[in-house]
Amino acid sequence: MRRNFSPFRFLKSRRVRRNCTVTALLSFIAVAAIIGRPVLHLARTAWQDTEEREPLKEGFVDDASRMNLTEISEVWPVPLDTREAEIQLAKLFARAQREGLPISIAGARHSMGGHTLVPGGIMIDMTPFHKMTLDETNNLLHVQAGAKWSQIIPWLDQRGKSVAIMQSNNSFTVGGSVSVNCHGWQYGCPPIASSVESFRLMRADGRILYCSRTENSELFSLALGGYGLFGLILDVDLRVVPNERYCLEQATVPVEQALSTFDEMIENPSVAMTFARMNITPDQFLDDVIITVFYRDPAPSDSVPELTDLPLAAIRRPVFRGSINNDYGKKLRWQAETILQPHVRQNHYSRNQLLNEGVEIFENRSADYTDILHEYFIPRAGLTEFTTALREIIPHHHQDLLNVTIRQVDVDEDTFLRYADQPLFSFVMLFCQPRTEKGDQQMKVLSAELIDVATQAGGRYYLPYRLHATPQQFHRAYPQAKQFFALKRTYDPQELFQNQFYRKYGSPAVLNKE
């Protein structure tokens, strides 16, 4: 039977369909807006992220800060052959002393205060010097000082071993790492000096000394964390550990709960590596913390994940670089780390996988801006005072903070110029600043204020970065420094080994003003 046509029913049906269409369209627009803005932001970041850095003029060198352009006499690459290198280095030292040329020692040059540079001097390039052997019985890696972690980790991985203590990236040399006495995110560990069994040191007169805790022990403590001022470290015996499989646990908590949460997470005896990252978005500045802990989780077959790149390597750079001078980018990165990352990360990692990432994935390629590191060591009792001060000081100076990572460092019982004289938490901060004199001066003002706050909180600052501390601030943070520099001149009376760090804080002319 034919149904009667109803104009009212027809119009109502059309209205419903239209409303559904409008609702669907609005939903699509809303989803597109939610997805579209991050996609457009990351696409724009990737498009603008081009290599703008230009090669240096001949006769000039710089370091990772790109703020220390220095004219020098020559760059002297170390020969590959060990015996030939030792002969030629001794001759070089003799020539430099005859001609009155100071010598600086360089590896990857990732320090930021001219620690590898001296004006008008000879810069020794250690990077060709990178042979290594493994004593599997005693778990000792014998490695030449110019070897980078990026060369060492794959080599050790093939042998089921891993580096005991190192930085969070693989771009640094062994010689540079022990000379700044770096630390890492290996839980419950002192700085790298604790993993050094011995090393060979060539002094200014060309003699080679074997240095350990029992032989030439004073030089052992001075050269580790000695910034290349006591001689040239030729090779090092480093303790290594098994390459293991780890599982990951993370917690995002308000900063007030960070310590108690961290304490709970490290109660597990299988904890292996830890770090935390603070929220730097302007509307929640340093209010929240992501705590990351890796636990040993042996596989039934004792197999570990292969040494491959960490996931999302291609997207992590634009997410990070997109936060520069961009509040939305900072918020997007925090959301990616707290909301997206838990759903896409791996279930298991190898120790070597975590250590084998270079700074290149995040480094600044701009011609006009550079990224500058700060690091402050704070005892547990001073954490609240220090973080409260950070919330006020950094926004006041309008500096572009890109990252705050927190790591734990145990007591250093090996080096003379030690920073870890007690258990400490390190605050590693990365800022982006203009490569101008004004930009550097503005950062210097901020640095000086943060150094004072760290000292007042019972801590100190780390020395490999910009030389923004006044001599008074430096000696207040490191009261043993005057004796350190006096011993430098005892072992190197002609002051052959120099750098910008020594000239600012340790030369007789500076110390006489103190």
Side-chain angles (χ1 to χ4, degrees), residues 436-463:
T436 61
E437 184 176 347
K438 180 180 178 181
D440 194 45
Q441 287 301 314
Q442 290 174 336
M443 185 61 72
K444 184 176 182 179
V445 174
L446 171 62
S447 299
E449 196 165 344
L450 292 178
I451 289 169
D452 282 342
V453 168
T455 305
Q456 291 163 10
R460 50 174 52 95
Y461 72 102
Y462 196 24
L463 298 176

Short mmCIF file of all heavy atoms in Angstrom, two decimals, residues 436-463:
data_model
loop_
_atom_site.label_atom_id
_atom_site.label_comp_id
_atom_site.label_asym_id
_atom_site.label_seq_id
_atom_site.Cartn_x
_atom_site.Cartn_y
_atom_site.Cartn_z
N THR A 436 75.46 36.62 20.15
CA THR A 436 75.90 38.01 20.14
C THR A 436 76.52 38.33 21.49
O THR A 436 76.32 37.62 22.48
CB THR A 436 74.71 38.96 19.90
OG1 THR A 436 73.76 38.79 20.98
CG2 THR A 436 74.01 38.66 18.58
N GLU A 437 77.26 39.42 21.54
CA GLU A 437 77.85 39.86 22.80
C GLU A 437 76.77 40.20 23.81
O GLU A 437 76.88 39.86 25.00
CB GLU A 437 78.76 41.07 22.56
CG GLU A 437 79.50 41.52 23.81
CD GLU A 437 80.47 42.66 23.54
OE1 GLU A 437 80.76 42.94 22.36
OE2 GLU A 437 80.93 43.27 24.53
N LYS A 438 75.69 40.83 23.34
CA LYS A 438 74.58 41.17 24.23
C LYS A 438 73.94 39.90 24.79
O LYS A 438 73.66 39.80 25.99
CB LYS A 438 73.55 42.00 23.49
CG LYS A 438 72.35 42.38 24.35
CD LYS A 438 71.34 43.21 23.56
CE LYS A 438 70.13 43.55 24.43
NZ LYS A 438 69.13 44.34 23.66
N GLY A 439 73.72 38.91 23.91
CA GLY A 439 73.13 37.66 24.35
C GLY A 439 74.00 36.96 25.37
O GLY A 439 73.50 36.39 26.35
N ASP A 440 75.31 37.01 25.17
CA ASP A 440 76.23 36.38 26.11
C ASP A 440 76.24 37.11 27.44
O ASP A 440 76.29 36.47 28.51
CB ASP A 440 77.64 36.35 25.50
CG ASP A 440 78.57 35.42 26.26
OD1 ASP A 440 78.15 34.30 26.59
OD2 ASP A 440 79.72 35.81 26.52
N GLN A 441 76.19 38.42 27.41
CA GLN A 441 76.18 39.19 28.65
C GLN A 441 74.90 38.95 29.45
O GLN A 441 74.93 38.84 30.69
CB GLN A 441 76.35 40.68 28.35
CG GLN A 441 77.75 41.07 27.92
CD GLN A 441 78.79 40.74 29.00
OE1 GLN A 441 78.62 41.01 30.18
NE2 GLN A 441 79.89 40.12 28.58
N GLN A 442 73.79 38.84 28.75
CA GLN A 442 72.52 38.57 29.44
C GLN A 442 72.56 37.19 30.10
O GLN A 442 72.08 37.01 31.22
CB GLN A 442 71.36 38.67 28.46
CG GLN A 442 71.08 40.10 28.00
CD GLN A 442 70.03 40.17 26.91
OE1 GLN A 442 69.80 39.21 26.17
NE2 GLN A 442 69.37 41.32 26.81
N MET A 443 73.14 36.21 29.39
CA MET A 443 73.26 34.88 29.97
C MET A 443 74.22 34.88 31.15
O MET A 443 74.03 34.17 32.14
CB MET A 443 73.73 33.89 28.91
CG MET A 443 73.79 32.43 29.38
SD MET A 443 72.18 31.78 29.89
CE MET A 443 71.37 31.63 28.30
N LYS A 444 75.26 35.70 31.07
CA LYS A 444 76.24 35.79 32.16
C LYS A 444 75.59 36.29 33.44
O LYS A 444 75.90 35.80 34.54
CB LYS A 444 77.38 36.72 31.74
CG LYS A 444 78.51 36.83 32.74
CD LYS A 444 79.64 37.71 32.19
CE LYS A 444 80.79 37.79 33.18
NZ LYS A 444 81.91 38.62 32.64
N VAL A 445 74.69 37.25 33.32
CA VAL A 445 73.99 37.78 34.49
C VAL A 445 73.15 36.68 35.14
O VAL A 445 73.14 36.52 36.37
CB VAL A 445 73.12 38.99 34.10
CG1 VAL A 445 72.27 39.44 35.29
CG2 VAL A 445 74.00 40.14 33.61
N LEU A 446 72.43 35.93 34.30
CA LEU A 446 71.63 34.82 34.82
C LEU A 446 72.52 33.78 35.49
O LEU A 446 72.22 33.30 36.60
CB LEU A 446 70.83 34.17 33.69
CG LEU A 446 70.11 32.86 34.04
CD1 LEU A 446 69.08 33.07 35.14
CD2 LEU A 446 69.47 32.24 32.80
N SER A 447 73.63 33.42 34.83
CA SER A 447 74.53 32.40 35.37
C SER A 447 75.05 32.80 36.75
O SER A 447 75.08 31.98 37.68
CB SER A 447 75.72 32.18 34.43
OG SER A 447 75.28 31.75 33.16
N ALA A 448 75.46 34.03 36.87
CA ALA A 448 76.01 34.49 38.15
C ALA A 448 74.99 34.37 39.26
O ALA A 448 75.31 33.97 40.40
CB ALA A 448 76.48 35.94 38.02
N GLU A 449 73.73 34.67 38.96
CA GLU A 449 72.69 34.59 39.98
C GLU A 449 72.41 33.14 40.35
O GLU A 449 72.24 32.80 41.53
CB GLU A 449 71.41 35.27 39.47
CG GLU A 449 70.42 35.56 40.57
CD GLU A 449 69.34 36.55 40.15
OE1 GLU A 449 69.52 37.23 39.13
OE2 GLU A 449 68.31 36.60 40.86
N LEU A 450 72.39 32.25 39.35
CA LEU A 450 72.14 30.83 39.62
C LEU A 450 73.30 30.20 40.39
O LEU A 450 73.09 29.34 41.25
CB LEU A 450 71.89 30.08 38.32
CG LEU A 450 70.59 30.42 37.58
CD1 LEU A 450 70.50 29.64 36.27
CD2 LEU A 450 69.38 30.15 38.45
N ILE A 451 74.52 30.62 40.09
CA ILE A 451 75.69 30.12 40.82
C ILE A 451 75.59 30.50 42.30
O ILE A 451 75.85 29.67 43.19
CB ILE A 451 76.99 30.65 40.19
CG1 ILE A 451 77.23 29.98 38.83
CG2 ILE A 451 78.18 30.42 41.12
CD1 ILE A 451 78.33 30.62 38.01
N ASP A 452 75.20 31.72 42.57
CA ASP A 452 75.05 32.16 43.97
C ASP A 452 73.97 31.34 44.69
O ASP A 452 74.14 30.94 45.85
CB ASP A 452 74.70 33.64 44.03
CG ASP A 452 75.92 34.54 43.80
OD1 ASP A 452 77.06 34.03 43.95
OD2 ASP A 452 75.73 35.72 43.48
N VAL A 453 72.86 31.10 44.00
CA VAL A 453 71.76 30.34 44.60
C VAL A 453 72.21 28.91 44.89
O VAL A 453 71.90 28.35 45.95
CB VAL A 453 70.53 30.36 43.68
CG1 VAL A 453 69.50 29.34 44.14
CG2 VAL A 453 69.91 31.75 43.64
N ALA A 454 72.93 28.30 43.94
CA ALA A 454 73.41 26.93 44.14
C ALA A 454 74.36 26.86 45.34
O ALA A 454 74.29 25.94 46.15
CB ALA A 454 74.11 26.44 42.88
N THR A 455 75.25 27.84 45.44
CA THR A 455 76.19 27.87 46.57
C THR A 455 75.46 28.04 47.89
O THR A 455 75.77 27.37 48.89
CB THR A 455 77.21 29.01 46.37
OG1 THR A 455 77.85 28.85 45.10
CG2 THR A 455 78.27 28.98 47.45
N GLN A 456 74.47 28.92 47.91
CA GLN A 456 73.70 29.14 49.13
C GLN A 456 72.92 27.90 49.55
O GLN A 456 72.67 27.69 50.74
CB GLN A 456 72.74 30.31 48.92
CG GLN A 456 73.44 31.66 48.79
CD GLN A 456 72.55 32.74 48.18
OE1 GLN A 456 71.35 32.54 48.02
NE2 GLN A 456 73.14 33.87 47.83
N ALA A 457 72.56 27.07 48.55
CA ALA A 457 71.81 25.84 48.85
C ALA A 457 72.75 24.70 49.24
O ALA A 457 72.30 23.56 49.38
CB ALA A 457 70.97 25.44 47.64
N GLY A 458 74.04 24.99 49.39
CA GLY A 458 74.99 23.98 49.81
C GLY A 458 75.62 23.21 48.67
O GLY A 458 76.27 22.18 48.89
N GLY A 459 75.44 23.70 47.44
CA GLY A 459 75.97 23.00 46.27
C GLY A 459 77.01 23.80 45.54
O GLY A 459 77.65 24.70 46.10
N ARG A 460 77.18 23.48 44.28
CA ARG A 460 78.14 24.19 43.43
C ARG A 460 77.75 24.01 41.98
O ARG A 460 76.78 23.31 41.65
CB ARG A 460 79.56 23.68 43.67
CG ARG A 460 79.71 22.16 43.62
CD ARG A 460 81.17 21.72 43.72
NE ARG A 460 81.86 22.29 44.86
CZ ARG A 460 82.00 21.71 46.04
NH1 ARG A 460 81.48 20.50 46.24
NH2 ARG A 460 82.65 22.29 47.03
N TYR A 461 78.49 24.67 41.10
CA TYR A 461 78.19 24.58 39.66
C TYR A 461 79.26 23.72 38.99
O TYR A 461 80.35 23.50 39.53
CB TYR A 461 78.11 25.97 39.04
CG TYR A 461 79.45 26.68 38.90
CD1 TYR A 461 80.10 26.74 37.67
CD2 TYR A 461 80.06 27.30 39.99
CE1 TYR A 461 81.33 27.38 37.54
CE2 TYR A 461 81.27 27.94 39.87
CZ TYR A 461 81.91 27.98 38.64
OH TYR A 461 83.12 28.60 38.53
N TYR A 462 78.96 23.26 37.77
CA TYR A 462 79.87 22.40 37.01
C TYR A 462 80.76 23.28 36.13
O TYR A 462 80.30 24.27 35.55
CB TYR A 462 79.05 21.43 36.16
CG TYR A 462 79.81 20.25 35.61
CD1 TYR A 462 80.96 19.76 36.20
CD2 TYR A 462 79.32 19.58 34.48
CE1 TYR A 462 81.62 18.65 35.68
CE2 TYR A 462 79.95 18.46 33.97
CZ TYR A 462 81.10 18.00 34.57
OH TYR A 462 81.75 16.91 34.05
N LEU A 463 82.02 22.88 35.99
CA LEU A 463 83.04 23.76 35.41
C LEU A 463 83.21 23.72 33.89
O LEU A 463 83.83 24.63 33.35
CB LEU A 463 84.41 23.45 36.06
CG LEU A 463 84.48 23.68 37.57
CD1 LEU A 463 85.83 23.24 38.10
CD2 LEU A 463 84.21 25.14 37.91
#
